[in-house]
Amino acid sequence: MLLFVILFNLVITCINCYLAVKLWQLYGSLKQITYQLTNIEQQMNELFSLAPDLMLKGQQGTVQLRQFYQKFLVQLAIAQRVFETVKLLWKVWYRVSNSRLLSKKI
């Protein structure tokens, strides 16, 4: 009976030692993962610390582009009116000059 108890205790001790080694290995793996995740977090913080400034610049650029586009549309409308006026004047001048030519020929 005493031999059984001693052997049983040795088996339990071996199992506990095995579990302790595995837990120690798991601890080392988790420590490495924690270190790498911390490094990744620091790199992401450095990367995204620039984001608010870049977003602000992008918003300002968008506002400037919209203002430029509005001015461009006004200028385009003016240019279209000028070209339509020139076209109309050209037609009138062409008709007047043709009518003068026709009246001189007759």
Side-chain angles (χ1 to χ4, degrees):
M1 183 72 180
L2 181 63
L3 185 61
F4 175 74
V5 171
I6 292 173
L7 287 175
F8 188 71
N9 281 338
L10 283 175
V11 169
I12 291 174
T13 303
C14 288
I15 292 172
N16 284 338
C17 286
Y18 175 77
L19 289 176
V21 168
K22 288 298 179 183
L23 286 174
W24 189 258
Q25 290 174 350
L26 180 63
Y27 170 75
S29 298
L30 290 175
K31 193 174 180 181
Q32 284 181 333
I33 291 170
T34 303
Y35 176 75
Q36 294 201 1
L37 286 176
T38 303
N39 283 339
I40 290 171
E41 181 185 9
Q42 289 173 352
Q43 291 172 357
M44 291 295 184
N45 284 337
E46 290 173 7
L47 178 67
F48 289 127
S49 67
L50 303 175
D53 294 335
L54 294 176
M55 289 175 62
L56 185 61
K57 285 182 182 178
Q59 288 173 346
Q60 290 171 348
T62 303
V63 168
Q64 289 174 353
L65 182 62
R66 285 182 181 158
Q67 291 172 350
F68 174 79
Y69 184 67
Q70 291 293 331
K71 290 178 184 177
F72 174 74
L73 288 179
V74 170
Q75 291 173 353
L76 182 63
I78 292 171
Q80 286 175 340
R81 285 188 210 134
V82 167
F83 284 127
E84 288 173 5
T85 306
V86 168
K87 186 177 173 183
L88 181 64
L89 289 173
W90 178 262
K91 285 181 182 180
V92 169
W93 179 78
Y94 184 74
R95 285 183 187 168
V96 168
S97 65
N98 279 344
S99 67
R100 284 184 186 169
L101 287 175
L102 288 176
S103 66
K104 287 183 181 179
K105 288 182 180 180
I106 296 178

mmCIF file of all heavy atoms in Angstrom, residues 4-41:
data_model
loop_
_atom_site.group_PDB
_atom_site.id
_atom_site.type_symbol
_atom_site.label_atom_id
_atom_site.label_comp_id
_atom_site.label_asym_id
_atom_site.label_seq_id
_atom_site.Cartn_x
_atom_site.Cartn_y
_atom_site.Cartn_z
ATOM 1 N N PHE A 4 2.242 1.846 -3.397
ATOM 2 C CA PHE A 4 1.221 2.429 -4.270
ATOM 3 C C PHE A 4 1.119 3.939 -4.067
ATOM 4 O O PHE A 4 1.065 4.706 -5.022
ATOM 5 C CB PHE A 4 -0.131 1.751 -4.020
ATOM 6 C CG PHE A 4 -1.248 2.379 -4.794
ATOM 7 C CD1 PHE A 4 -1.372 2.181 -6.160
ATOM 8 C CD2 PHE A 4 -2.168 3.190 -4.155
ATOM 9 C CE1 PHE A 4 -2.392 2.772 -6.863
ATOM 10 C CE2 PHE A 4 -3.189 3.788 -4.857
ATOM 11 C CZ PHE A 4 -3.312 3.571 -6.216
ATOM 12 N N VAL A 5 1.106 4.371 -2.819
ATOM 13 C CA VAL A 5 0.993 5.787 -2.500
ATOM 14 C C VAL A 5 2.221 6.534 -3.005
ATOM 15 O O VAL A 5 2.108 7.619 -3.591
ATOM 16 C CB VAL A 5 0.806 5.990 -0.979
ATOM 17 C CG1 VAL A 5 0.911 7.458 -0.599
ATOM 18 C CG2 VAL A 5 -0.509 5.410 -0.519
ATOM 19 N N ILE A 6 3.395 5.962 -2.831
ATOM 20 C CA ILE A 6 4.630 6.606 -3.286
ATOM 21 C C ILE A 6 4.629 6.705 -4.815
ATOM 22 O O ILE A 6 4.931 7.757 -5.382
ATOM 23 C CB ILE A 6 5.860 5.838 -2.771
ATOM 24 C CG1 ILE A 6 5.964 5.989 -1.260
ATOM 25 C CG2 ILE A 6 7.131 6.349 -3.445
ATOM 26 C CD1 ILE A 6 7.033 5.142 -0.619
ATOM 27 N N LEU A 7 4.283 5.604 -5.495
ATOM 28 C CA LEU A 7 4.237 5.623 -6.959
ATOM 29 C C LEU A 7 3.174 6.606 -7.470
ATOM 30 O O LEU A 7 3.394 7.335 -8.435
ATOM 31 C CB LEU A 7 3.955 4.225 -7.506
ATOM 32 C CG LEU A 7 5.118 3.239 -7.416
ATOM 33 C CD1 LEU A 7 4.689 1.861 -7.870
ATOM 34 C CD2 LEU A 7 6.276 3.723 -8.250
ATOM 35 N N PHE A 8 2.031 6.605 -6.806
ATOM 36 C CA PHE A 8 0.955 7.529 -7.191
ATOM 37 C C PHE A 8 1.406 8.974 -7.020
ATOM 38 O O PHE A 8 1.155 9.823 -7.885
ATOM 39 C CB PHE A 8 -0.301 7.232 -6.366
ATOM 40 C CG PHE A 8 -1.506 7.993 -6.829
ATOM 41 C CD1 PHE A 8 -2.137 7.687 -8.037
ATOM 42 C CD2 PHE A 8 -2.009 9.041 -6.068
ATOM 43 C CE1 PHE A 8 -3.242 8.390 -8.456
ATOM 44 C CE2 PHE A 8 -3.107 9.755 -6.494
ATOM 45 C CZ PHE A 8 -3.738 9.437 -7.696
ATOM 46 N N ASN A 9 2.094 9.277 -5.935
ATOM 47 C CA ASN A 9 2.616 10.631 -5.706
ATOM 48 C C ASN A 9 3.679 10.993 -6.736
ATOM 49 O O ASN A 9 3.750 12.138 -7.187
ATOM 50 C CB ASN A 9 3.191 10.759 -4.295
ATOM 51 C CG ASN A 9 2.099 10.938 -3.253
ATOM 52 O OD1 ASN A 9 0.997 11.366 -3.582
ATOM 53 N ND2 ASN A 9 2.406 10.593 -2.006
ATOM 54 N N LEU A 10 4.518 10.025 -7.119
ATOM 55 C CA LEU A 10 5.528 10.279 -8.141
ATOM 56 C C LEU A 10 4.874 10.580 -9.491
ATOM 57 O O LEU A 10 5.314 11.473 -10.230
ATOM 58 C CB LEU A 10 6.479 9.088 -8.268
ATOM 59 C CG LEU A 10 7.538 8.964 -7.174
ATOM 60 C CD1 LEU A 10 8.333 7.673 -7.354
ATOM 61 C CD2 LEU A 10 8.480 10.148 -7.217
ATOM 62 N N VAL A 11 3.826 9.835 -9.834
ATOM 63 C CA VAL A 11 3.104 10.077 -11.094
ATOM 64 C C VAL A 11 2.483 11.467 -11.080
ATOM 65 O O VAL A 11 2.580 12.233 -12.047
ATOM 66 C CB VAL A 11 2.036 8.982 -11.331
ATOM 67 C CG1 VAL A 11 1.115 9.349 -12.477
ATOM 68 C CG2 VAL A 11 2.693 7.644 -11.577
ATOM 69 N N ILE A 12 1.852 11.833 -9.964
ATOM 70 C CA ILE A 12 1.247 13.165 -9.847
ATOM 71 C C ILE A 12 2.330 14.240 -9.932
ATOM 72 O O ILE A 12 2.153 15.276 -10.586
ATOM 73 C CB ILE A 12 0.439 13.287 -8.547
ATOM 74 C CG1 ILE A 12 -0.803 12.409 -8.616
ATOM 75 C CG2 ILE A 12 0.048 14.734 -8.276
ATOM 76 C CD1 ILE A 12 -1.602 12.353 -7.335
ATOM 77 N N THR A 13 3.475 13.994 -9.318
ATOM 78 C CA THR A 13 4.583 14.954 -9.362
ATOM 79 C C THR A 13 5.104 15.113 -10.782
ATOM 80 O O THR A 13 5.372 16.235 -11.238
ATOM 81 C CB THR A 13 5.722 14.490 -8.431
ATOM 82 O OG1 THR A 13 5.204 14.336 -7.104
ATOM 83 C CG2 THR A 13 6.860 15.480 -8.410
ATOM 84 N N CYS A 14 5.234 13.995 -11.511
ATOM 85 C CA CYS A 14 5.693 14.064 -12.908
ATOM 86 C C CYS A 14 4.701 14.848 -13.775
ATOM 87 O O CYS A 14 5.102 15.667 -14.611
ATOM 88 C CB CYS A 14 5.890 12.655 -13.459
ATOM 89 S SG CYS A 14 7.325 11.811 -12.778
ATOM 90 N N ILE A 15 3.421 14.581 -13.573
ATOM 91 C CA ILE A 15 2.393 15.311 -14.324
ATOM 92 C C ILE A 15 2.463 16.810 -13.998
ATOM 93 O O ILE A 15 2.394 17.657 -14.886
ATOM 94 C CB ILE A 15 0.986 14.732 -14.038
ATOM 95 C CG1 ILE A 15 0.869 13.329 -14.627
ATOM 96 C CG2 ILE A 15 -0.100 15.636 -14.594
ATOM 97 C CD1 ILE A 15 -0.388 12.587 -14.237
ATOM 98 N N ASN A 16 2.627 17.144 -12.733
ATOM 99 C CA ASN A 16 2.724 18.548 -12.323
ATOM 100 C C ASN A 16 3.970 19.215 -12.912
ATOM 101 O O ASN A 16 3.926 20.375 -13.320
ATOM 102 C CB ASN A 16 2.716 18.673 -10.811
ATOM 103 C CG ASN A 16 1.327 18.475 -10.224
ATOM 104 O OD1 ASN A 16 0.319 18.638 -10.919
ATOM 105 N ND2 ASN A 16 1.251 18.101 -8.958
ATOM 106 N N CYS A 17 5.093 18.478 -12.919
ATOM 107 C CA CYS A 17 6.311 19.027 -13.510
ATOM 108 C C CYS A 17 6.119 19.266 -15.010
ATOM 109 O O CYS A 17 6.537 20.303 -15.546
ATOM 110 C CB CYS A 17 7.492 18.082 -13.271
ATOM 111 S SG CYS A 17 8.089 18.107 -11.576
ATOM 112 N N TYR A 18 5.486 18.324 -15.702
ATOM 113 C CA TYR A 18 5.206 18.464 -17.126
ATOM 114 C C TYR A 18 4.329 19.704 -17.369
ATOM 115 O O TYR A 18 4.598 20.505 -18.259
ATOM 116 C CB TYR A 18 4.536 17.190 -17.646
ATOM 117 C CG TYR A 18 4.097 17.289 -19.090
ATOM 118 C CD1 TYR A 18 5.032 17.172 -20.117
ATOM 119 C CD2 TYR A 18 2.764 17.507 -19.427
ATOM 120 C CE1 TYR A 18 4.638 17.270 -21.448
ATOM 121 C CE2 TYR A 18 2.363 17.603 -20.746
ATOM 122 C CZ TYR A 18 3.305 17.492 -21.753
ATOM 123 O OH TYR A 18 2.914 17.578 -23.058
ATOM 124 N N LEU A 19 3.289 19.840 -16.554
ATOM 125 C CA LEU A 19 2.406 20.997 -16.684
ATOM 126 C C LEU A 19 3.141 22.296 -16.383
ATOM 127 O O LEU A 19 2.922 23.313 -17.047
ATOM 128 C CB LEU A 19 1.186 20.855 -15.771
ATOM 129 C CG LEU A 19 0.161 19.798 -16.176
ATOM 130 C CD1 LEU A 19 -0.942 19.699 -15.128
ATOM 131 C CD2 LEU A 19 -0.438 20.108 -17.532
ATOM 132 N N ALA A 20 4.049 22.282 -15.413
ATOM 133 C CA ALA A 20 4.814 23.481 -15.080
ATOM 134 C C ALA A 20 5.714 23.894 -16.243
ATOM 135 O O ALA A 20 5.820 25.075 -16.587
ATOM 136 C CB ALA A 20 5.632 23.245 -13.816
ATOM 137 N N VAL A 21 6.355 22.906 -16.897
ATOM 138 C CA VAL A 21 7.213 23.194 -18.052
ATOM 139 C C VAL A 21 6.377 23.782 -19.189
ATOM 140 O O VAL A 21 6.751 24.771 -19.831
ATOM 141 C CB VAL A 21 7.976 21.930 -18.499
ATOM 142 C CG1 VAL A 21 8.639 22.133 -19.853
ATOM 143 C CG2 VAL A 21 9.009 21.538 -17.462
ATOM 144 N N LYS A 22 5.225 23.170 -19.460
ATOM 145 C CA LYS A 22 4.358 23.659 -20.534
ATOM 146 C C LYS A 22 3.843 25.076 -20.227
ATOM 147 O O LYS A 22 3.779 25.922 -21.113
ATOM 148 C CB LYS A 22 3.177 22.700 -20.756
ATOM 149 C CG LYS A 22 3.564 21.401 -21.412
ATOM 150 C CD LYS A 22 4.132 21.696 -22.798
ATOM 151 C CE LYS A 22 4.558 20.421 -23.491
ATOM 152 N NZ LYS A 22 5.177 20.672 -24.790
ATOM 153 N N LEU A 23 3.485 25.330 -18.985
ATOM 154 C CA LEU A 23 3.024 26.658 -18.598
ATOM 155 C C LEU A 23 4.154 27.680 -18.727
ATOM 156 O O LEU A 23 3.926 28.820 -19.126
ATOM 157 C CB LEU A 23 2.463 26.649 -17.176
ATOM 158 C CG LEU A 23 1.087 25.996 -17.007
ATOM 159 C CD1 LEU A 23 0.708 25.930 -15.533
ATOM 160 C CD2 LEU A 23 0.032 26.762 -17.785
ATOM 161 N N TRP A 24 5.386 27.273 -18.393
ATOM 162 C CA TRP A 24 6.525 28.160 -18.529
ATOM 163 C C TRP A 24 6.768 28.487 -20.008
ATOM 164 O O TRP A 24 7.063 29.623 -20.368
ATOM 165 C CB TRP A 24 7.765 27.528 -17.898
ATOM 166 C CG TRP A 24 8.920 28.484 -17.816
ATOM 167 C CD1 TRP A 24 10.007 28.536 -18.639
ATOM 168 C CD2 TRP A 24 9.071 29.541 -16.875
ATOM 169 N NE1 TRP A 24 10.829 29.548 -18.267
ATOM 170 C CE2 TRP A 24 10.281 30.193 -17.173
ATOM 171 C CE3 TRP A 24 8.316 29.990 -15.797
ATOM 172 C CZ2 TRP A 24 10.749 31.268 -16.460
ATOM 173 C CZ3 TRP A 24 8.790 31.071 -15.090
ATOM 174 C CH2 TRP A 24 9.990 31.692 -15.422
ATOM 175 N N GLN A 25 6.640 27.474 -20.885
ATOM 176 C CA GLN A 25 6.776 27.704 -22.324
ATOM 177 C C GLN A 25 5.659 28.633 -22.834
ATOM 178 O O GLN A 25 5.908 29.532 -23.643
ATOM 179 C CB GLN A 25 6.737 26.379 -23.083
ATOM 180 C CG GLN A 25 7.967 25.526 -22.869
ATOM 181 C CD GLN A 25 7.837 24.147 -23.518
ATOM 182 O OE1 GLN A 25 6.754 23.763 -23.969
ATOM 183 N NE2 GLN A 25 8.933 23.394 -23.539
ATOM 184 N N LEU A 26 4.447 28.406 -22.353
ATOM 185 C CA LEU A 26 3.329 29.261 -22.732
ATOM 186 C C LEU A 26 3.567 30.699 -22.273
ATOM 187 O O LEU A 26 3.291 31.646 -23.005
ATOM 188 C CB LEU A 26 2.023 28.718 -22.140
ATOM 189 C CG LEU A 26 0.752 29.508 -22.454
ATOM 190 C CD1 LEU A 26 0.473 29.496 -23.943
ATOM 191 C CD2 LEU A 26 -0.423 28.931 -21.679
ATOM 192 N N TYR A 27 4.103 30.845 -21.077
ATOM 193 C CA TYR A 27 4.432 32.174 -20.551
ATOM 194 C C TYR A 27 5.438 32.865 -21.463
ATOM 195 O O TYR A 27 5.294 34.051 -21.782
ATOM 196 C CB TYR A 27 4.982 32.048 -19.125
ATOM 197 C CG TYR A 27 5.563 33.324 -18.574
ATOM 198 C CD1 TYR A 27 4.731 34.364 -18.154
ATOM 199 C CD2 TYR A 27 6.940 33.507 -18.480
ATOM 200 C CE1 TYR A 27 5.267 35.542 -17.655
ATOM 201 C CE2 TYR A 27 7.482 34.679 -17.995
ATOM 202 C CZ TYR A 27 6.645 35.691 -17.579
ATOM 203 O OH TYR A 27 7.177 36.860 -17.092
ATOM 204 N N GLY A 28 6.484 32.136 -21.898
ATOM 205 C CA GLY A 28 7.496 32.716 -22.801
ATOM 206 C C GLY A 28 6.874 33.126 -24.124
ATOM 207 O O GLY A 28 7.169 34.208 -24.659
ATOM 208 N N SER A 29 6.002 32.277 -24.672
ATOM 209 C CA SER A 29 5.342 32.604 -25.941
ATOM 210 C C SER A 29 4.452 33.838 -25.779
ATOM 211 O O SER A 29 4.459 34.738 -26.626
ATOM 212 C CB SER A 29 4.499 31.423 -26.425
ATOM 213 O OG SER A 29 5.308 30.304 -26.677
ATOM 214 N N LEU A 30 3.699 33.883 -24.693
ATOM 215 C CA LEU A 30 2.827 35.027 -24.452
ATOM 216 C C LEU A 30 3.634 36.301 -24.225
ATOM 217 O O LEU A 30 3.216 37.391 -24.637
ATOM 218 C CB LEU A 30 1.903 34.761 -23.259
ATOM 219 C CG LEU A 30 0.808 33.708 -23.503
ATOM 220 C CD1 LEU A 30 0.044 33.446 -22.214
ATOM 221 C CD2 LEU A 30 -0.130 34.132 -24.605
ATOM 222 N N LYS A 31 4.793 36.162 -23.611
ATOM 223 C CA LYS A 31 5.653 37.317 -23.390
ATOM 224 C C LYS A 31 6.153 37.871 -24.722
ATOM 225 O O LYS A 31 6.160 39.087 -24.933
ATOM 226 C CB LYS A 31 6.829 36.904 -22.494
ATOM 227 C CG LYS A 31 7.627 38.037 -21.941
ATOM 228 C CD LYS A 31 8.663 37.512 -20.957
ATOM 229 C CE LYS A 31 9.490 38.632 -20.375
ATOM 230 N NZ LYS A 31 10.500 38.138 -19.439
ATOM 231 N N GLN A 32 6.554 36.973 -25.631
ATOM 232 C CA GLN A 32 7.002 37.408 -26.956
ATOM 233 C C GLN A 32 5.854 38.061 -27.738
ATOM 234 O O GLN A 32 6.046 39.102 -28.384
ATOM 235 C CB GLN A 32 7.538 36.225 -27.764
ATOM 236 C CG GLN A 32 8.917 35.766 -27.355
ATOM 237 C CD GLN A 32 9.385 34.610 -28.206
ATOM 238 O OE1 GLN A 32 8.575 33.846 -28.738
ATOM 239 N NE2 GLN A 32 10.688 34.476 -28.345
ATOM 240 N N ILE A 33 4.686 37.470 -27.672
ATOM 241 C CA ILE A 33 3.525 38.029 -28.373
ATOM 242 C C ILE A 33 3.191 39.409 -27.818
ATOM 243 O O ILE A 33 2.914 40.347 -28.570
ATOM 244 C CB ILE A 33 2.318 37.070 -28.276
ATOM 245 C CG1 ILE A 33 2.592 35.806 -29.091
ATOM 246 C CG2 ILE A 33 1.042 37.747 -28.736
ATOM 247 C CD1 ILE A 33 1.573 34.704 -28.880
ATOM 248 N N THR A 34 3.249 39.540 -26.505
ATOM 249 C CA THR A 34 2.971 40.832 -25.870
ATOM 250 C C THR A 34 3.985 41.879 -26.315
ATOM 251 O O THR A 34 3.617 43.015 -26.634
ATOM 252 C CB THR A 34 2.999 40.691 -24.338
ATOM 253 O OG1 THR A 34 2.069 39.700 -23.947
ATOM 254 C CG2 THR A 34 2.678 42.001 -23.649
ATOM 255 N N TYR A 35 5.249 41.493 -26.377
ATOM 256 C CA TYR A 35 6.294 42.418 -26.802
ATOM 257 C C TYR A 35 6.054 42.862 -28.245
ATOM 258 O O TYR A 35 6.129 44.053 -28.560
ATOM 259 C CB TYR A 35 7.664 41.737 -26.657
ATOM 260 C CG TYR A 35 8.817 42.556 -27.166
ATOM 261 C CD1 TYR A 35 9.288 43.651 -26.443
ATOM 262 C CD2 TYR A 35 9.446 42.243 -28.362
ATOM 263 C CE1 TYR A 35 10.341 44.409 -26.905
ATOM 264 C CE2 TYR A 35 10.499 43.003 -28.833
ATOM 265 C CZ TYR A 35 10.947 44.077 -28.106
ATOM 266 O OH TYR A 35 11.986 44.833 -28.570
ATOM 267 N N GLN A 36 5.748 41.913 -29.124
ATOM 268 C CA GLN A 36 5.526 42.257 -30.528
ATOM 269 C C GLN A 36 4.269 43.107 -30.703
ATOM 270 O O GLN A 36 4.249 44.052 -31.493
ATOM 271 C CB GLN A 36 5.456 40.993 -31.376
ATOM 272 C CG GLN A 36 6.792 40.276 -31.392
ATOM 273 C CD GLN A 36 6.967 39.345 -32.568
ATOM 274 O OE1 GLN A 36 6.082 39.239 -33.392
ATOM 275 N NE2 GLN A 36 8.101 38.693 -32.620
ATOM 276 N N LEU A 37 3.212 42.783 -29.974
ATOM 277 C CA LEU A 37 1.986 43.583 -30.068
ATOM 278 C C LEU A 37 2.213 45.004 -29.539
ATOM 279 O O LEU A 37 1.673 45.972 -30.078
ATOM 280 C CB LEU A 37 0.842 42.909 -29.315
ATOM 281 C CG LEU A 37 0.241 41.672 -29.987
ATOM 282 C CD1 LEU A 37 -0.808 41.040 -29.089
ATOM 283 C CD2 LEU A 37 -0.351 42.015 -31.328
ATOM 284 N N THR A 38 3.032 45.134 -28.511
ATOM 285 C CA THR A 38 3.362 46.459 -27.988
ATOM 286 C C THR A 38 4.128 47.259 -29.031
ATOM 287 O O THR A 38 3.859 48.455 -29.234
ATOM 288 C CB THR A 38 4.180 46.349 -26.691
ATOM 289 O OG1 THR A 38 3.440 45.573 -25.740
ATOM 290 C CG2 THR A 38 4.492 47.703 -26.097
ATOM 291 N N ASN A 39 5.078 46.607 -29.705
ATOM 292 C CA ASN A 39 5.824 47.290 -30.773
ATOM 293 C C ASN A 39 4.897 47.714 -31.906
ATOM 294 O O ASN A 39 5.013 48.832 -32.429
ATOM 295 C CB ASN A 39 6.931 46.391 -31.320
ATOM 296 C CG ASN A 39 8.127 46.339 -30.396
ATOM 297 O OD1 ASN A 39 8.313 47.222 -29.571
ATOM 298 N ND2 ASN A 39 8.924 45.290 -30.535
ATOM 299 N N ILE A 40 3.994 46.835 -32.281
ATOM 300 C CA ILE A 40 3.040 47.165 -33.354
ATOM 301 C C ILE A 40 2.164 48.339 -32.936
ATOM 302 O O ILE A 40 1.899 49.252 -33.718
ATOM 303 C CB ILE A 40 2.188 45.928 -33.722
ATOM 304 C CG1 ILE A 40 3.053 44.881 -34.424
ATOM 305 C CG2 ILE A 40 1.004 46.317 -34.591
ATOM 306 C CD1 ILE A 40 2.361 43.545 -34.631
ATOM 307 N N GLU A 41 1.716 48.330 -31.689
ATOM 308 C CA GLU A 41 0.882 49.427 -31.193
ATOM 309 C C GLU A 41 1.636 50.754 -31.227
ATOM 310 O O GLU A 41 1.087 51.785 -31.635
ATOM 311 C CB GLU A 41 0.417 49.137 -29.771
ATOM 312 C CG GLU A 41 -0.473 50.217 -29.202
ATOM 313 C CD GLU A 41 -0.823 49.977 -27.746
ATOM 314 O OE1 GLU A 41 -0.242 49.071 -27.128
ATOM 315 O OE2 GLU A 41 -1.674 50.723 -27.240
#
